[in-house]
Amino acid sequence: MRVNKTYSCLPAEEKGIHIINIRAIEDIGYDQHESTLLNSLSKNPDADCKYGLYFRDGKRKVDYILVYQYKKSSAGRTLARRAHNDSTARSTKQEQPLPGKGVQLEMGESEPHMDYHEDDKRFRREEYEGNLVEAGLELERDEDTKIHGIGFIKIHAPWNVLCREAEFLKLKMPTKKMYQINQTHGLLKKINSVIQKITEPIQPKVAEHKPQMVKRLSYPFSREKQHLFDLSDRDSFFDSKTRSTIVYEILKRTTCTKAKYSMGITSLLANGVYSAAYPLHDGDYEGENVEPNDRKLLCEEWASYGVFYKYQPIDLVRKYFGEKIGLYFAWLGVYTQMLIPASIVGIIVFLYGCATVDENIPSMEMCDQRNNITMCPLCDRTCSYWKMSSACATARASHLFDNPATVFFSVFMALWAATFMEHWKRKQMRLNYRWDLTGFEEEEDHPRAEYEAKVLEKSLRKEHKQKEADKEKLTWKDRFPAYLTNFVGIIFMVGLTFAIVFGVIIYRISTAAALAISSTPSGRSSVRVTVTATAVIINLVVIIILDEVYGCIARWLTQIEVPKTDKNFEERLIFKAFLLKFVNAYTPIFYVAFFKGRFVGRPGDYVYIFHSFRMEECAPGGCLMELCIQLSIIMLGKQLIQNNLFEIGIPKMKKFIRYLKLKRRRSLDHEEHVKRKQRYEVDYNLEPFAGLTPEYMEMIIQFGFVTLFVASFPLAPLFALLNNIIEIRLDAKKFVTELRRPVAVRAKDIGIWYNILRGIGKLAVIINAFVISFTSDFIPRLVYLYMYSENGTMHGFVNHTLSSFNVSDFQAGTAPNDPMDLGYEVQICRYKDYREPPWSENKYDISKDFWAVLAARLAFVIVFQNLVMFMSEFVDWIIPDIPKDISQQIHKEKVLMVEVFMREEQGKLQMLETWKEKDKKKGGNCNNHSPKLPRSHSGSLSSCHSYPLDV
């Protein structure tokens, strides 16, 4: 039996660079007594490498970390030292070890019961790490950590690898050439200076956020043109974000070919060969004697609730997390800023409703008890007749949201949405210019691990027919079962949402009938409020639960489709998740807005569900007030519970669970408990980054609440603004302190989310047109005012909207059990509808007034929709997508770049001319020394002093 002292299958003949670390040799048993004495006298070795941010030599920076699990025996180190001392006399032509503190023992010695899968994972890691070294990366292993059974591979990319990959990725890097940014002049300059002075207290104290007067010219990195770039400080030329991106690209394309198939880092992670892969944070963000770093600066100036009033340091966010995450927070900031004017106008509209509530004639008529209007029962048998004046509070509250200013606010919000989209496009172009993304085009990503596995499975099935497995790909026939499952699954989920909403409707109807049996007058008067509030809370709970369920189902449906790239996977996942969550969030609101009270029937001929439950009616003041209650509770509940409590509570709970697991592991190894954790150990305990889809999704759903039904709830932008002020800092704190550092991804826009936003904006115009036209009483009031009013006022409007019913025409068994509940016998009761009276020839038929109002409603929808659409398109057309100053700067950069290259070419030509002149002179001297030679041969002798030119 012997101990295998190798870390990976890296033969000594490999062309890659192998690293030998003296401290690693000490740790595995060389010169044990002397090293103990030296270590006791030397300083802390962990401080030399800044506790994991550098290799143990303290010079090479750790750019990426691979984490794996291994089975560690308690006698591992003793066996390692004993085996090493026995093997000192062996041949020196052994394999080079990866430097590290721990040793991986041979399977039979260290773990006799280790199964085949663990052995296979180890061999895959060895081959993969060997291929990484062949690609030029430098590795260092560490298994002597505080986390029991977890090993870490530290990866460093040397300068030549960074240059090579930067050229492959076409990364734009700053050159030596600097130019002046065009500044405004005259009045605009004075206005900008005043604005800067006013906004100075709310600017973050970050160097990257200060206005730039000059800018370095950027150009795609090229090793042949390194003289163009400022390489005075090579350590900082590629920042940590860029270095980790380059290493990740190498990890994705490097494969191991064990077991006849290719596996990249995504496949290795999916199969458990490695348990995690991530770049390191720059350092600690809190504590004493913490060195200044970007993470600490972000925590102080961005991820703190105390700076909620300040602008975000977007450039620093981009520098630390990459363009994709920077664009998300930039978009969220622009959206939040645009909510400020929308909130102000919404508050004004609400205050206008409060100021004019006492002047609203229809609500005054409903509250006037002298009118003595007796209404028909709200349910069969158990419900009795009731006075319209008992609904006075509901009518007055409806006016707060159902007034002429609501129409103006709907038009304003439609134009606001168009302006917001245009403003974001311009902001996006400014960021592209500042971040050197102009001209950037996304290339096709590497195939996903699941796609490669599926292609492998397909190629193995056809191996006896076709040997060229590399040309295999998945067709629609291969994906047809997944497409069918997706279609059936989505239809089922949408049907489930409709069924739950229908169940809540049954609950409302049955609860209203049960509460109406109550003998107490107070109980009967609060039936509508009680039923509405409880039903909305049930809807809220169901929506929150189904949101989580639908998110998991959407991910599963996308996984079985096996998209080829991560981008395809993300787009398909977003589409499914948005569709399901949109239906889930808005179906109850759509029911109240467009279906409740539309299919009730009339007294004596009501519509029943299951032959026993009567369809519910709207309140006398209309359904708009109930729509407002529904919208406000669902919106506020989702924001408070799902977006904030879940985002805070769930990560804290996961972190606590991981802490308990690690505490249990540490109890097995008491000697390691006193050591300070390395940076990669601390980051390993953080939550993995799960993508931006959940963050975007909650904001898109909120954008729908703000725009789709804003006619019924003018305060929606205000509550969205208050939520987003907290949301920005909450997300920032999560990214800086709770999550592992994500790999920086280059992106020039927000992708498919922009199209979804535009679609919601277009849909909002149509929905608000129908809400104003069919849900509110705005159109019936206009029709009455201009067609039926005798004195040009709204007096008599309530009586005009009510029809009469003779109580003798009730169907058998549907009349009230207590007809004398009001103290007098009722012969005619009223109900809200446009129908003929019982004394006409066509009694209870739809009257002409109904058709007049319907025609006016449809006409309003057409006019409103086309007018607002035209105004939105006009706003889109009049505001250019690219700001004029940015287009000028981009053109200036192109001209300057051409000048740089022309100057370089001229320099080369001048040098060539100089060499030619020298060559001619030397050739002439050569001819003077040989006068006897024929003239025809003199030219050939000029080559005796010529120099090779390589320009």
Side-chain angles (χ1 to χ4, degrees), residues 786-812:
Y786 293 107
M787 291 182 62
Y788 299 103
S789 177
E790 297 178 356
N791 52 8
T793 64
M794 293 301 295
H795 289 287
F797 170 74
V798 174
N799 187 60
H800 177 75
T801 59
L802 298 176
S803 299
S804 301
F805 178 74
N806 193 332
V807 298
S808 61
D809 294 332
F810 272 122
Q811 291 181 354

Side-chain angles (χ1 to χ4, degrees), residues 804 809 835-847:
S804 301
D809 294 332
R835 291 183 180 271
E836 297 289 344
W839 50 83
S840 68
E841 295 180 0
N842 303 316
K843 64 178 184 178
Y844 307 135
D845 285 350
I846 294 175
S847 64

Side-chain angles (χ1 to χ4, degrees), residues 213-226:
M213 306 298 291
V214 294
K215 186 177 185 292
R216 285 189 179 274
L217 193 64
S218 296
Y219 185 73
F221 188 83
S222 173
R223 286 172 290 181
E224 295 181 355
K225 293 182 170 57
Q226 288 193 33

Side-chain angles (χ1 to χ4, degrees), residues 483-529:
Y483 290 153
L484 184 62
T485 305
N486 270 260
F487 178 77
V488 174
I490 290 174
I491 294 297
F492 175 77
M493 293 303 150
V494 173
L496 176 64
T497 304
F498 289 164
I500 291 174
V501 172
F502 183 74
V504 175
I505 293 171
I506 298 298
Y507 162 79
R508 293 159 66 109
I509 296 172
S510 58
T511 305
L515 292 177
I517 304 175
S518 173
S519 58
T520 59
S522 60
R524 287 197 295 269
S525 63
S526 60
V527 167
R528 193 179 296 274
V529 177

Side-chain angles (χ1 to χ4, degrees), residues 384-644:
S384 186
Y385 305 105
W386 55 285
K387 292 283 190 180
M388 175 171 272
S389 57
S390 63
C392 175
T394 306
R396 289 174 63 86
S398 296
H399 178 73
L400 300 177
F401 306 100
D402 187 5
N403 54 68
T406 305
V407 181
F408 159 76
F409 190 55
S410 300
V411 177
F412 171 82
M413 287 303 295
L415 298 179
W416 172 87
T419 308
F420 163 58
M421 301 304 295
E422 291 305 307
H423 179 43
W424 166 243
K425 280 197 291 188
R426 291 170 63 84
K427 177 70 172 179
Q428 195 169 252
M429 282 304 303
R430 289 188 181 277
L431 294 177
N432 285 342
Y433 165 72
R434 267 165 41 194
W435 297 349
D436 297 324
L437 292 172
T438 52
F440 167 71
E441 296 294 336
E442 293 185 12
E443 298 179 357
E444 187 175 357
D445 202 357
H446 298 277
R448 298 174 61 248
E450 292 80 359
Y451 181 85
E452 290 180 343
K454 202 75 174 177
V455 170
L456 171 68
E457 183 181 340
K458 181 181 178 181
S459 62
L460 291 177
R461 287 199 304 264
K462 295 184 177 180
E463 195 171 15
H464 62 283
K465 298 179 181 179
Q466 182 180 357
K467 295 295 182 182
E468 298 180 2
D470 293 338
K471 295 184 179 180
E472 287 290 340
K473 63 179 182 179
L474 299 184
T475 62
W476 69 269
K477 292 181 181 179
D478 301 318
R479 291 192 173 104
F480 180 75
Y483 290 153
L484 184 62
T485 305
N486 270 260
F487 178 77
V488 174
I490 290 174
I491 294 297
F492 175 77
M493 293 303 150
V494 173
L496 176 64
T497 304
F498 289 164
I500 291 174
V501 172
F502 183 74
V504 175
I505 293 171
I506 298 298
Y507 162 79
R508 293 159 66 109
I509 296 172
S510 58
T511 305
L515 292 177
I517 304 175
S518 173
S519 58
T520 59
S522 60
R524 287 197 295 269
S525 63
S526 60
V527 167
R528 193 179 296 274
V529 177
T530 305
V531 170
T532 300
T534 55
V536 171
I537 292 173
I538 292 173
N539 273 327
L540 174 62
V541 173
V542 170
I543 286 172
I544 292 175
I545 294 173
L546 287 184
D547 254 5
E548 303 300 322
V549 174
Y550 285 169
C552 298
I553 291 176
R555 180 169 291 276
W556 176 75
L557 290 175
T558 309
Q559 286 173 346
I560 64 174
E561 279 188 46
V562 197
K564 184 176 181 179
T565 63
D566 287 330
K567 184 179 180 182
N568 293 339
F569 181 87
E570 186 180 20
E571 289 181 350
R572 296 186 185 194
L573 173 63
I574 289 169
F575 174 75
K576 294 181 184 65
F578 174 73
L579 178 63
L580 293 175
K581 293 189 176 186
F582 183 89
V583 172
N584 180 42
Y586 296 115
T587 299
I589 302 173
F590 269 94
Y591 163 72
V592 174
F594 302 120
F595 297 99
K596 184 178 179 181
R598 309 291 174 192
F599 311 102
V600 177
R602 60 170 180 83
D605 188 21
Y606 283 114
V607 177
Y608 291 91
I609 301 176
F610 305 132
H611 303 287
S612 56
F613 297 108
R614 219 171 83 185
M615 288 294 291
E616 53 183 346
E617 304 176 39
C618 289
C623 278
L624 199 68
M625 185 61 197
E626 188 172 342
L627 176 62
C628 173
I629 296 173
Q630 184 103 1
L631 184 66
S632 59
I633 292 180
I634 291 178
M635 178 182 176
L636 296 177
K638 272 180 66 66
Q639 290 183 166
L640 181 63
I641 298 173
Q642 192 174 26
N643 298 355
N644 292 331

Side-chain angles (χ1 to χ4, degrees), residues 147-308:
I147 307 177
H148 187 80
I150 298 294
F152 297 89
I153 298 291
K154 295 175 278 187
I155 302 177
H156 169 77
W159 173 255
N160 61 329
V161 174
L162 293 173
C163 294
R164 181 191 72 204
E165 297 299 323
E167 184 173 348
F168 291 166
L169 295 174
K170 300 176 183 177
L171 296 179
K172 275 191 171 184
M173 303 302 294
T175 63
K176 297 176 183 177
K177 177 68 176 177
M178 301 181 70
Y179 67 95
Q180 192 82 16
I181 297 177
N182 293 339
Q183 301 294 324
T184 55
H185 301 283
L187 182 62
L188 285 177
K189 184 177 182 180
K190 293 180 180 179
I191 294 174
N192 289 337
S193 62
V194 171
I195 293 174
Q196 287 179 5
K197 290 180 180 178
I198 295 174
T199 60
E200 188 176 357
I202 60 175
Q203 300 291 345
K205 297 177 182 178
V206 175
E208 287 80 358
H209 197 76
K210 295 179 181 178
Q212 296 179 343
M213 306 298 291
V214 294
K215 186 177 185 292
R216 285 189 179 274
L217 193 64
S218 296
Y219 185 73
F221 188 83
S222 173
R223 286 172 290 181
E224 295 181 355
K225 293 182 170 57
Q226 288 193 33
H227 58 278
L228 295 177
F229 302 94
D230 184 11
L231 302 180
S232 56
D233 186 5
R234 289 190 173 188
D235 293 336
S236 61
F237 183 73
F238 296 105
D239 57 13
S240 59
K241 164 187 68 77
T242 307
R243 297 175 70 99
S244 63
T245 302
I246 288 174
V247 174
Y248 182 65
E249 287 296 325
I250 298 175
L251 291 176
K252 282 199 296 185
R253 72 165 185 262
T254 304
T255 59
C256 67
T257 55
K258 295 281 185 186
K260 295 185 180 180
Y261 62 94
S262 174
M263 296 186 71
I265 185 60
T266 51
S267 301
L268 295 172
L269 289 170
N271 291 320
V273 178
Y274 291 102
S275 57
Y278 52 89
L280 292 179
H281 280 291
D282 278 358
D284 292 325
Y285 60 90
E286 60 182 0
E288 298 180 358
N289 302 323
V290 176
E291 293 185 5
N293 57 73
D294 288 343
R295 189 188 187 193
K296 185 175 185 294
L297 188 59
L298 282 172
C299 189
E300 294 171 352
E301 294 294 328
W302 182 51
S304 172
Y305 294 109
V307 294
F308 72 92

Side-chain angles (χ1 to χ4, degrees), residues 48-78:
D48 294 339
C49 63
K50 295 187 178 181
Y51 295 97
L53 288 174
Y54 288 80
F55 277 22
R56 289 191 198 91
D57 57 12
K59 298 178 181 179
R60 288 166 297 174
K61 189 172 184 180
V62 177
D63 299 319
Y64 217 86
I65 291 292
L66 296 179
V67 187
Y68 61 92
Q69 295 181 351
Y70 69 97
K71 293 187 177 180
K72 180 179 178 182
S73 68
S74 59
R77 294 181 189 167
T78 306

Side-chain angles (χ1 to χ4, degrees), residues 370-382:
R370 295 173 297 178
N371 289 334
N372 198 27
I373 299 176
T374 304
M375 303 297 293
C376 295
L378 296 175
C379 61
D380 294 341
R381 295 187 299 277
T382 56

